[in-house]
């Protein structure tokens, strides 16, 4: 979900929120309350979620030479097990190199604006096909294809410049920032997708993972205290009959999603991942980079690092600075960067 910051979830951050359907789904799902994006751009979020590769280089992985070399992804791991794989994005083909990444990652099919049959009628005037019709198209495409399948979709209506069709702009008006109305529209598109998916024969045997590519346009009103909101995102795993609803309070990052999905899908063969399933024991951290600096978030602290030394330590959740824990976090960050 484009730009879905946890700050705008009433269930995660308190208040009214701007994603009521996703909030309601959290009570029926595995809900990770401390999930973090590994970057601040879509071009970083997609490799992190689908290939467990965080955006720690100066250049995005998608546009780097490494994207042309073999790498592990959800698509190629599951394709080897007989899954049909697809990647959907309603934007123009070529946008941010998503179609090229999908090919390199082993997706059998990429579906963008060019493949959408009502592109002219449902074009938003900026980025591509509006979320509501595109997600309905996606649901029916999944139903028409073979099983088992893995499919990924990135929404776009909650991307700047945050414009909706006049009827939707009126229906979802409100909030204090332009992004708020588009978040409510995208959330409603997600609600309608699930209403359609629940009528499909594959629904009860499907793992649905809903998260964000990154955060955007955060309202910094002081309500969130010492939470590291710049990277705080929702992560909801809805798996009817496969995972009991629960709130998971441990730190989780986007690169943990691939191993989590493979674990829930019953995949037991070896695979390579820079993340680790949050259902496995051990200390948990989230790493990120930006503006030439590195960051790491742990249970009690957030560190900023220049690659050689710690620049700042920020206690979280009322905790005190623990120098021994800070050194452990620094070593973990240095290992991640290496």
């Amino acid at each position: 979900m484009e730009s879905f910051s946890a700050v705008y979830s009433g269930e995660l951050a308190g208040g009214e929120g701007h994603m009521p359907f996703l909030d309601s789904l959290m009570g029926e799902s595995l809900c990770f309350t401390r999930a973090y994006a590994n970057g601040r751009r879509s071009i970083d979020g997609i490799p992190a979620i689908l290939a467990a590769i965080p955006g720690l280089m100066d250049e995005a992985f998608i546009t780097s030479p490494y994207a042309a070399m073999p790498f592990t992804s959800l698509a190629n791991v599951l394709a080897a097990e007989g899954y049909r794989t697809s990647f959907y994005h309603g934007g123009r083909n070529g946008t941010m190199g998503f179609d090229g990444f999908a090919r390199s990652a082993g997706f059998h099919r990429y579906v963008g604006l060019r493949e959408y049959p009502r592109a002219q009628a449902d074009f938003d005037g900026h980025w591509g096909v509006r979320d509501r019709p595109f997600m309905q198209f996606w649901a029916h495409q999944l139903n028409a294809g073979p099983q088992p399948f893995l499919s990924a979709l990135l929404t776009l209506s909650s991307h700047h410049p945050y414009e909706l069709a006049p009827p939707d702009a009126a229906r979802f008006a409100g909030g204090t920032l332009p992004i708020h109305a588009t978040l409510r529209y995208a959330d409603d598109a997600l609600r309608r997708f699930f209403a359609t998916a629940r009528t499909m024969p594959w629904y009860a045997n499907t793992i649905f993972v809903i998260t964000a590519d990154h955060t955007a346009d955060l309202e910094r009103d002081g309500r969130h205290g010492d939470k590291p909101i710049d990277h705080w995102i929702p992560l909801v795993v809805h798996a009817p009959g496969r995972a009991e609803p629960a709130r998971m309070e441990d730190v989780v990052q986007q690169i943990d999603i691939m191993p989590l999905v493979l674990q829930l899908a019953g995949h037991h063969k070896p695979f390579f991942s820079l993340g680790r399933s949050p259902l496995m024991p051990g200390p948990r951290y989230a790493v990120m980079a930006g503006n030439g600096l590195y960051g790491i978030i742990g249970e009690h602290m957030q560190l900023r690092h220049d690659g050689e030394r710690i620049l700042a330590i920020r206690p979280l959740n009322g905790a005190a600075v623990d120098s021994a824990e800070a050194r452990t976090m620094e070593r973990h960050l240095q290992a991640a960067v290496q």
Side-chain angles (χ1 to χ4, degrees):
M1 303 297 291
E2 172 69 48
S3 302
F4 262 49
S5 166
V7 165
Y8 299 129
S9 161
E11 184 69 23
L12 297 175
E16 182 179 359
H18 301 287
M19 49 188 80
F21 172 74
L22 186 54
D23 278 347
S24 71
L25 199 63
M26 292 178 189
E28 307 170 17
S29 311
L30 282 177
C31 175
F32 296 89
T33 64
R34 299 186 66 189
Y36 300 100
N38 293 108
R40 294 296 303 277
R41 305 177 300 173
S42 301
I43 202 171
D44 296 321
I46 295 304
I49 293 166
L50 297 177
I53 298 174
L56 295 179
M57 301 186 297
D58 292 334
E59 183 178 6
F61 172 79
I62 285 179
T63 58
S64 75
Y66 300 105
M69 301 178 184
F71 61 91
T72 303
S73 75
L74 269 174
N76 54 37
V77 170
L78 291 177
E81 300 298 324
Y83 283 67
R84 191 68 183 171
T85 60
S86 58
F87 187 111
Y88 285 70
H89 181 55
R92 294 180 179 89
N93 297 58
T95 296
M96 285 185 270
F98 291 148
D99 51 355
F101 168 78
R103 286 192 298 272
S104 298
F107 282 92
H108 293 123
R109 187 178 182 218
Y110 180 89
V111 178
L113 181 65
R114 186 183 304 151
E115 291 78 22
Y116 181 72
R118 291 173 42 86
Q120 187 172 357
D122 295 330
F123 188 68
D124 67 359
H126 295 283
W127 289 103
V129 184
R130 301 182 192 279
D131 288 347
R132 183 190 298 139
F134 195 72
M135 293 183 81
Q136 289 298 308
F137 168 71
W138 181 42
H140 289 287
Q141 288 270 295
L142 294 179
N143 201 49
Q147 298 180 44
F149 61 75
L150 162 77
S151 190
L153 177 138
L154 173 63
T155 66
L156 54 69
S157 292
S158 45
H159 194 291
H160 184 272
Y162 311 127
E163 291 185 10
L164 299 173
D168 290 320
R171 178 184 173 190
F172 297 105
T176 56
L177 294 175
I179 193 176
H180 291 161
T182 62
L183 292 171
R184 291 194 292 273
Y185 167 82
D187 179 76
D188 185 67
L190 182 66
R191 177 185 66 81
R192 294 183 183 217
F193 167 79
F194 267 89
T196 300
R198 286 187 176 113
T199 69
M200 304 298 188
W202 41 264
Y203 174 79
N205 196 41
T206 299
I207 300 167
F208 298 89
V209 181
I210 305 101
T211 190
D213 52 352
H214 57 80
T215 66
D217 286 25
L218 299 175
E219 198 167 37
R220 301 182 187 277
D221 54 10
R223 288 193 306 117
H224 307 293
D226 56 6
K227 288 187 174 71
I229 64 173
D230 287 328
H231 295 85
W232 189 27
I233 57 173
L235 175 55
V236 178
V237 179
H238 187 65
R242 190 169 291 263
E244 292 295 323
R247 287 176 68 91
M248 310 292 288
E249 307 289 344
D250 292 338
V251 171
V252 181
Q253 54 188 331
Q254 286 173 329
I255 63 173
D256 298 332
I257 292 174
M258 184 181 84
L260 170 63
V261 169
L262 292 176
Q263 181 180 2
L264 291 175
H267 181 82
H268 301 298
K269 296 178 182 178
F271 64 93
F272 179 84
S273 171
L274 291 172
R276 184 173 50 133
S277 169
L279 301 183
M280 300 188 71
R284 308 219 57 90
Y285 304 104
V287 297
M288 60 279 302
N291 300 319
L293 300 176
Y294 301 104
I296 182 170
I297 298 170
E299 182 179 0
H300 304 116
M301 292 182 293
Q302 179 180 15
L303 271 60
R304 294 179 67 201
H305 204 280
D306 66 0
E308 296 184 3
R309 65 187 185 281
I310 296 173
L311 300 180
I313 302 176
R314 180 188 181 194
L316 304 175
N317 304 316
V321 171
D322 183 323
S323 57
E325 184 177 359
R327 287 194 295 272
T328 298
M329 291 176 64
E330 181 185 26
R331 291 292 287 170
H332 185 93
L333 177 61
Q334 289 171 327
V337 172
Q338 184 184 52

